[in-house]
Amino acid sequence: MDWDQLLQQSTALAAVDSQGLPRIERDIPQLELFSKKLRARTQRIDNSEDQNAATRLLAQEGLNAQRLQTSLQAFELKPTLEDVFEVHADSVEEYLQRLHEMTVATAIQAAQQDTAAAFEAFMDRSMEQEWASEKRRLFTESLPQAVTLDLLPAQASTAGHAVRGFAGAAAQLQGRERTYAETVHALNDAQTSGQPFDAIAAFSAACTSQPTGDQRTSVQRCWDLLGAVVRPAAGMPVSRTADRVAAMIEGARSYLEQGHVQHMQGVIQASRIQARLGGEPTRMAQIQAFLRLRMADAGPLDFDTQGGGGTDTTWPTIFYCLRCGYHSEALQRAEGLEGSTGQSRGPRFAKALREWLQPKRGAGGSSTGALGSMWSEVERLHRQSGPRQPITFRYKLLLHAILAGGRASAITVMREATSLLTTIEDFMWVLLSMIKPSSCSPSSSSMFSSSPGFSEGPHREPYRLTDLQEYLSDPKWGAEHYSHGGREPLLYVTVLLLSLQFRRAVSFLAKHRLTDAFRIDAPHFAIAMLAHEVADVGGEAAAGGVDWSELLHGYGLRRAQQLPAVALEYSKQAVRARKGDLKYKATLLRELLVQSQAFGFFVGSSGQGGQGGAMERYAPDERERNQLVAWVAEECSLQAQSEWAIELFRYANQPARALRIISHLFSDCLEPALSEPASDEKAGEYQRRGNDAAQAITATGSHTDDAELEAFEQLKIVRQLLQAHSRRDSGQVIACAARLRFLPQQDHEVQASKAAVQRLHSAILDRLPAILLVSAVAQQGLALQGNPAGLRVLANFAGELGPRLPRQTCDQIIDLYTQIA
């Protein structure tokens, strides 16, 4: 047996497995075909009749069979804890224990799901904010390669321009957004002309009433409150910060007092029979009617009982008279304390109250005089306080603490009189009443950080506005505490406004998750506060890093693409928030140009003095406007936005700088124009615009820009030279070359021309290789006719230039001369 036979037998054996069955080999297409045949054999018989019958049965019951089938396909059974855990038990206690465990586990599971959903929502919002910020950065840093000619002022027409003025732009807005924008426009007009303008009143009138349902406050009420707080400080010099703060605190208290009068009248009207109020009640009669309802559980009251019996209402009466702003009635009742039973200190209290009610009361928190005597009285009453004391005692303690006005008194108010202060308004009125006006530096310690003993000295430190602000901004309370668990977020805004925390109020409206529905109001509150110069008068700490200028500009920039006129109004206010910083003003202007692309709207139809330009509104002063536009043009030039830079420089009365940019663009188009019709057309356009800029320079009569004029004229000659070369007109090339002063015509001019090249304009220097090469080619024709002098001079000149000329160009010119030599 030879090797071939052994190989055949081995192959036959390899094709048979251990059971003697032949091996079958199949490729993928064959397997797919066989699987399809198998699946066709295993399909069920047609049950269309059953399906039709089931569909008819479901239709009779009003069910959609197709929708039911779709729902069942996506149906997922999720077991409950009762399905997983056994709830059977041998005793009630064990059953309840297991049921409690399952309830807790279910609550934990639900909380985990809510947490996951909240986290996902937070991440989505964060991603949206980051993307918006990144998009804004990309817009700012974008480098448009070209600007279409219809956007340029030289070719734009205001009659056919797509950008509307402010009136047309505001008409596209709706609701508060529109009325707010119109108010900002009117405010800018007034500030430009130096006319007085009550911004808060205007915004309050522009704010349409919003349905609040069961909520106690609205945006309209916030505007009214801001006006009530700021109005008393109107007309005061900004330098008198302490007086302005004191006036605004008085305004906040007056607002709360007026609100309590309305509340009291509403309570009396709702229960008029129990209040027993007559037909023509006096203010004291109103207080007594309110006390009949407020102290209904105290039994008969002294003013309703003959012979001096009943519950003594002296202290509650004084408190509610002060709470309603009825100062004369409160003082009259306090003076009646003299000679009353158990009121041996009545005259001292009346004297202290009279001093407290003075317009410029207090000696800055000093502990002398009638007010100073209240310190010791608060100490005495605090020692007597206890759960067995009647409610009238707490009114007495509260009144003495208000007149004392110290930090320890504030702690006493929180501990002893919480049952009396049932609303946030009462709470704020009491603490505002305790503030002692002073021009001293704000205290750094919190008024509720500790509880000093009454025998110690520091407890007699006066209660300051900063103490109230620190307490309200304590993280352990938060906005939810003052807004009914977040259900009424504007209630917290009123608390911040009452405590003169203006920046924090704007920050809360602009950033907090509870105020998503009031984002539109935040920038307008900021504008109103800036207009009345109260943004920083409260002495509050930094409000979460909210930059008002960025807030205002960002609000307007979101509308820049469709409504640039509206964006312009808010940018003016953003500049005002930065104290009119010119660099920042230029930055905002450039962002508006990039975002809106409405170049013709800002500059006008024909540059400075043309129709439709909004730049004069952005910067009314001509000198400032030219400087501003020049800065923007310089930035555009650095960012390769050459078209914008040209028109902005022309608008800023700097045609020489515009001509310099035109010369470079013109130079870059000269060589491509020889083979590209589009580049040739663009070169012609730059030449026309350069001629206009040159005429503007000549009209000024200044000789400082003669270098730019000469460079542009030389570039026009270079264009003629290159065009003549493309037509193979050697004579015209030589004639144009003779007009270029930096090209030598004789051997003795080579060194002078070399020095001239060092002073050559950069736009011409870029074209120098092409100029020399084209001139050398034209001179070669004369050299072939027996006149090689011109070509020899160019070859020597090219060799003298050295690194200023590309090596390849130099070699080509020398080769041309070598061929002739």
Side-chain angles (χ1 to χ4, degrees), residues 53 184 247 276 436 449 498 584 586 649 659 669 677 700:
V184 173
R276 289 180 285 171
K436 296 291 186 182
S449 60
L498 287 169
Y584 183 70
F649 276 132
L659 182 60
C669 293
T700 61

Side-chain angles (χ1 to χ4, degrees), residues 478-517:
E480 289 80 0
H481 175 73
Y482 299 101
S483 59
H484 292 175
R487 297 186 301 274
E488 299 182 40
L490 292 181
L491 195 58
Y492 182 56
V493 177
T494 63
V495 172
L496 296 174
L497 295 178
L498 287 169
S499 57
L500 310 190
Q501 300 187 82
F502 301 122
R503 286 193 176 273
R504 199 176 298 278
V506 173
S507 173
F508 177 70
L509 288 172
K511 295 178 59 178
H512 203 276
R513 58 179 179 82
L514 297 177
T515 55
D516 287 339

Side-chain angles (χ1 to χ4, degrees), residues 655-676:
R657 302 183 70 177
L659 182 60
R660 183 174 182 84
I661 299 176
I662 292 174
S663 297
H664 281 92
L665 296 176
F666 184 37
S667 175
D668 293 339
C669 293
L670 293 181
E671 293 186 55
L674 300 178
S675 57
E676 301 174 4

Side-chain angles (χ1 to χ4, degrees), residues 509-529:
L509 288 172
K511 295 178 59 178
H512 203 276
R513 58 179 179 82
L514 297 177
T515 55
D516 287 339
F518 308 103
R519 293 290 188 260
I520 186 178
D521 301 291
H524 299 96
F525 273 99
I527 291 173
M529 294 168 186

Side-chain angles (χ1 to χ4, degrees), residues 734 777-788:
I734 295 174
V777 171
Q779 289 289 347
Q780 187 184 30
L782 291 179
L784 293 175
Q785 298 175 8
N787 187 8

